[in-house]
Amino acid sequence: MKYVVMIFRSTDRTWTDEDQRGLGRLIKLESELAASGELVSSEGLQPPEEGRIVQIRDGVQVVTDGPFGETKEQLAGFFMVDVADDAQAEAIAARVSAAVGDRVELRGTLISA
């Protein structure tokens, strides 16, 4: 079953030495999950102000530049893993959380190929 482990970061934080160490831990974990065959993909994301909303309104594509919302927390990156069960997905999410030093969100996918 496939799961996404979503990593969040506050938009009002500056990059610190601890963040750099956390990135190193994430890269190590990424390598370990790739070697075990559990990693489907992982990516860091551009900040919200680099994003845009794309939608269809009255049959016309409308693109709106970011930033969005009044939130201080943003989706900063993700790991997609393919594991046997919830317990293994939760164990990996815990490792990601430990690497970044903060909470992460875990969601299963609707359809797993």
Side-chain angles (χ1 to χ4, degrees):
M1 184 169 186
K2 290 182 182 169
Y3 296 82
V4 175
V5 182
M6 293 175 278
I7 303 164
F8 292 89
R9 179 176 172 80
S10 175
T11 58
D12 60 0
R13 283 184 49 198
T14 57
W15 193 258
T16 66
D17 289 340
E18 181 53 34
D19 293 323
Q20 190 63 38
R21 287 188 291 276
L23 179 59
R25 291 188 297 266
L26 280 177
I27 291 168
K28 181 177 184 244
L29 177 56
E30 179 182 44
S31 295
E32 291 171 4
L33 294 173
S36 72
E38 296 168 303
L39 183 68
V40 175
S41 68
S42 67
E43 297 290 337
L45 300 173
Q46 293 288 329
E49 57 271 13
E50 297 296 323
R52 54 209 166 273
I53 297 291
V54 178
Q55 58 187 325
I56 299 295
R57 285 194 182 158
D58 299 321
V60 177
Q61 178 178 305
V62 178
V63 180
T64 307
D65 291 336
F68 319 104
E70 295 286 329
T71 182
K72 290 188 183 244
E73 201 171 67
Q74 62 150 337
L75 180 62
F78 68 90
F79 278 58
M80 179 173 281
V81 296
D82 192 356
V83 295
D85 55 34
D86 285 347
Q88 183 60 22
E90 290 171 7
I92 290 171
R95 293 175 66 193
V96 174
S97 175
V100 298
D102 203 349
R103 69 177 181 87
V104 299
E105 183 177 341
L106 176 66
R107 288 194 205 173
T109 62
L110 291 175
I111 300 173
S112 186

